[in-house]
């Protein structure tokens, strides 16, 4: 699964990406997880199975959700507590739920 995260500059989610990658490896899953800024999401959306937004860019949800619907990709905002605590396990579960439901 390819999981794309979006935040303001693509940097604040780097720790969360690292935690999610660690969880995926521990679970024996070969996921591709990366983060980009809101400005460059368009260049990465075609490679993603799901797009998760950091809470700080939730204002982009309507715009990006429309793009996701056109591409058949679920788009949602990451739970604020899970984002703030860099809970890679829960964010990974959330991404899987969105893709596999």
């Amino acid at each position: 699964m390819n999981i794309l995260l979006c935040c303001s500059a693509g940097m604040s989610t780097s720790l969360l990406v690292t935690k999610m990658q660690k969880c995926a490896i521990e679970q024996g899953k070969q996921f591709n997880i990366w983060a980009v800024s809101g400005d460059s999401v368009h260049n990465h959306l075609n490679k993603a199975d799901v797009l998760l937004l950091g809470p700080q860019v939730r204002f982009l949800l309507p715009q990006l959700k429309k793009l996701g619907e056109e591409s058949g990709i679920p788009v949602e905002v990451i739970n604020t507590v899970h984002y703030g605590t860099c809970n890679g396990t829960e964010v990974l579960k959330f991404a899987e739920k969105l893709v596999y439901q």
Side-chain angles (χ1 to χ4, degrees):
M1 180 185 337
N2 297 307
I3 304 171
L4 175 60
L5 277 66
C6 171
C7 68
S8 298
M11 298 172 65
S12 62
T13 53
S14 62
L15 182 58
L16 180 59
V17 167
T18 301
K19 298 268 185 156
M20 290 173 69
Q21 289 171 331
K22 182 180 175 190
C23 291
I25 290 169
E26 289 172 355
Q27 296 173 17
K29 299 172 180 171
Q30 296 184 355
F31 289 173
N32 184 28
I33 306 165
W34 74 106
V36 299
S37 68
D39 293 342
S40 62
V41 165
H42 302 81
N43 299 328
H44 296 263
L45 200 56
N46 64 338
K47 299 174 229 161
D49 296 312
V50 60
L51 171 60
L52 300 177
L53 308 181
Q56 71 275 34
V57 294
R58 72 175 52 245
F59 63 91
L60 295 173
L61 183 62
Q63 170 192 353
L64 294 177
K65 198 160 191 138
K66 184 176 178 184
L67 285 177
E69 287 172 359
E70 292 171 2
S71 304
I73 299 169
V75 179
E76 288 297 337
V77 176
I78 299 169
N79 176 291
T80 303
V81 172
H82 296 161
Y83 186 87
T85 57
C86 287
N87 190 330
T89 302
E90 289 302 320
V91 178
L92 199 63
K93 282 183 194 173
F94 182 54
E96 289 179 290
K97 181 180 173 187
L98 290 171
V99 171
Y100 297 133
Q101 66 178 343

